[in-house]
Amino acid sequence: MTQRNGIRGSSDPSLHSETSKAFDLANGLDHDEGQVAAADCGQGSESGDPVAITGGAVTAPDGGWGWAVLVATILVLAMTLGFPACVGIFYTDLQNEFHASNSETSWVPSIMTSALHAGGPFCSVLVGKLGCRPTVMLGGVLSGVGMVASSFTNSIAELYITAGVITGLGFCFSFQPAVTILGHYFVRRRAFANAMSSTGTALGLCTLPFLGNYLHSEFGWRGSFLILGAVLLNSCVCGAVMRPLQPKKHRGQLLMDRTPVPSEKQAKRESRLRTAWRFLVASVKEHMAFDQFLNNRHYRVFAIGITFMMLGFVVPLVYLVPYATAHGMEPSRAALLLSILGIVNIVVRPPFAIMFNMPWFKGRHVYVFASALLFNGLSNCICCIGAGFPVLVAYVVMYGLSMSVVGSLMFTVLMDIVEMRRFPSALGLLAVMESITLLIGPPLAGILVDSTQQYFYVFIACSAVVASSGLFLMLSFLWLDKKERKASQQGQLSAQPEAENPAADASPVCAYSDRP
């Protein structure tokens, strides 16, 4: 089953002529062409997107300096996506220090993860104004300052602001531009690059628990937060590596189609309130893909399924260490469980990256992704067997295998179902939707623990949520594909007139066929 996104499969010749240069991957770049300009992402463009869609001669290198960007992205993801799960190491200390309940303490990683996703629209604006490289570096500064400030807090509410909001926004400003610019450096090898970059999360899960546990035993939670803040500043170094792609000619031209900004004379004639309202509406349309959510059925289904999935996907990582220590396991062995989870991800994600880049998987990514979600949800039931170290090791191995597939294909599926030029705004809207369930998931689990005094109920609930979201995605995409195949078979005669008028297509960015 293959897909036709709005760039490669469009029948509009004008659209094809505008985008063929940016996405012509067969020829690649030689060594000299691979050396992109060392200017900020989007210089000369209000959009900040690094690949020229109109007028320029930029082609995605699919290698060259892109490999350095890939390594930098791996490190950024290790320090951002892998960090919130390590807060569980300090979970008991935070409870004792601030005399907080499970629900109150769980708000710390919950707010951090929610801010990581909810800051997507703000991040998109910053990328448009500053570029990808400065935005990643700004995120590194924010996350580092947030964790340093957290070491001086005197209440759990202050920790919500420093470790939750400030550090979470810093993670967002580092993570999303890194993923976006990677998608422009790799197109033909995009599935491979995305899968390899997802090993960054595994790298963080593998190393940060060891580091956090060592710092906790030597310096306590306050000293650990101070040192971890310094570690997070390394995102600035990674951001400096992310040089943008620039067209060799016509650098003054816009890199992407944008709604023209009203002239100064026109703005003066309008009232300030009306101007501000129009700017707000234009920003929302630009950085939040509501049109994709309304018109692209595949994106709508994917966004709903991922939003519901996030209600229970990260909760086991937050409560795994407290669950183990509550049953008498030593904190060092409990932290080792997270490291084993990271090691499993590191070992299996590179082979998955190579496998998912094979032609057979093109168009089938979403079904592999949904199957992995189903398996991931069911794996949470293993924790109900017991809390012994062998049982929990078996659990993290099963969880890690499915998590590897989910992490490898998350962005690949999104890039399959929307145009690449709309990817930042589609990711922004999806991130905001995810942030709602990410925010309420851990506190709801904390309420469940406080009311039942048992942790395994949390894993049962997470199993039901994640498995049901996987089934929803699988059945929904099967239904959409069957409906499109049936319409294609019955309306082949009307296909040519529709191709001549692509504006009549309600969902031009994604169409699937039944064979690869």
Side-chain angles (χ1 to χ4, degrees), residues 35-364:
Q35 305 302 314
V36 295
D40 287 337
C41 174
Q43 181 177 349
S45 166
E46 199 172 353
S47 71
D49 284 29
V51 174
I53 301 298
T54 59
V58 171
T59 306
D62 272 293
W65 189 253
W67 298 119
V69 175
L70 175 59
V71 173
T73 303
I74 290 174
L75 295 177
V76 167
L77 265 63
M79 289 182 283
T80 56
L81 299 186
F83 189 89
C86 302
V87 178
I89 296 174
F90 311 99
Y91 196 88
T92 304
D93 279 18
L94 296 179
Q95 279 186 302
N96 297 332
E97 177 77 16
F98 300 117
H99 306 286
S101 64
N102 283 285
S103 178
E104 291 172 336
T105 309
S106 63
W107 278 105
V108 177
S110 176
I111 294 175
M112 180 187 296
T113 309
S114 179
L116 192 159
H117 291 79
F122 302 102
C123 179
S124 183
V125 173
L126 285 176
V127 169
K129 298 298 181 182
L130 303 177
C132 294
R133 173 191 283 170
T135 305
V136 173
M137 298 174 72
L138 174 62
V141 173
L142 276 180
S143 57
V145 169
M147 288 307 297
V148 170
S150 299
S151 64
F152 298 100
T153 54
N154 296 314
S155 67
I156 194 72
E158 293 176 1
L159 206 60
Y160 294 160
I161 298 174
T162 55
V165 177
I166 298 177
T167 303
L169 284 177
F171 288 163
C172 175
F173 295 163
S174 296
F175 151 66
Q176 293 196 18
V179 174
T180 300
I181 196 171
L182 184 67
H184 288 295
Y185 266 92
F186 293 90
V187 179
R188 180 169 54 87
R189 298 172 176 169
R190 181 174 292 161
F192 174 80
N194 283 330
M196 288 301 299
S197 68
S198 69
T199 60
T201 306
L203 181 64
L205 288 173
C206 181
T207 57
L208 290 178
F210 277 124
L211 177 61
N213 186 61
Y214 171 76
L215 295 176
H216 176 259
S217 61
E218 295 292 330
F219 304 103
W221 74 269
R222 292 185 183 274
S224 300
F225 279 16
L226 184 65
I227 297 173
L228 288 172
V231 172
L232 292 176
L233 289 174
N234 286 283
S235 294
C236 300
V237 181
C238 297
V241 175
M242 297 176 181
R243 306 190 304 193
L245 292 170
Q246 289 284 357
K248 292 185 176 182
K249 298 179 181 180
H250 310 293
R251 294 198 177 194
Q253 293 183 357
L254 289 176
L255 297 182
M256 293 183 67
D257 296 330
R258 299 291 176 185
T259 303
V261 181
S263 63
E264 293 183 2
K265 293 182 179 180
Q266 181 181 355
K268 289 180 180 179
R269 290 194 297 266
E270 297 174 346
S271 64
R272 291 185 178 181
L273 182 61
R274 184 179 179 183
T275 302
W277 173 254
R278 292 181 63 182
F279 174 78
L280 178 62
V281 172
S283 299
V284 169
K285 289 182 178 180
E286 180 179 355
H287 302 294
M288 301 280 283
F290 288 111
D291 60 326
Q292 292 288 308
F293 188 81
L294 294 176
N295 299 324
N296 188 337
R297 291 173 295 181
H298 292 86
Y299 175 70
R300 180 165 63 247
V301 168
F302 183 72
I304 293 173
I306 294 301
T307 301
F308 184 66
M309 177 267 288
M310 286 298 179
L311 186 65
F313 186 70
V314 300
V315 171
L317 301 180
V318 176
Y319 284 94
L320 179 60
V321 173
Y323 173 59
T325 55
H327 287 80
M329 187 179 297
E330 296 179 0
S332 59
R333 299 193 79 187
L336 180 61
L337 293 172
L338 290 177
S339 298
I340 294 174
L341 177 64
I343 292 172
V344 171
N345 278 262
I346 290 177
V347 171
V348 302
R349 288 201 188 200
F352 283 163
I354 298 174
M355 183 174 64
F356 294 148
N357 203 47
M358 295 172 63
W360 187 87
F361 285 95
K362 189 176 182 181
R364 296 184 172 96

Side-chain angles (χ1 to χ4, degrees), residues 5 179 183 190 194 411-418 420 423:
N5 73 15
V179 174
R190 181 174 292 161
N194 283 330
F411 301 117
T412 301
V413 172
L414 183 58
M415 291 176 183
D416 283 346
I417 62 181
V418 299
M420 191 58 212
F423 176 77

Side-chain angles (χ1 to χ4, degrees), residues 458-474:
V458 171
F459 294 93
I460 294 176
C462 292
S463 178
V465 169
V466 177
S468 60
S469 65
L471 284 174
F472 169 77
L473 286 174
M474 186 180 300

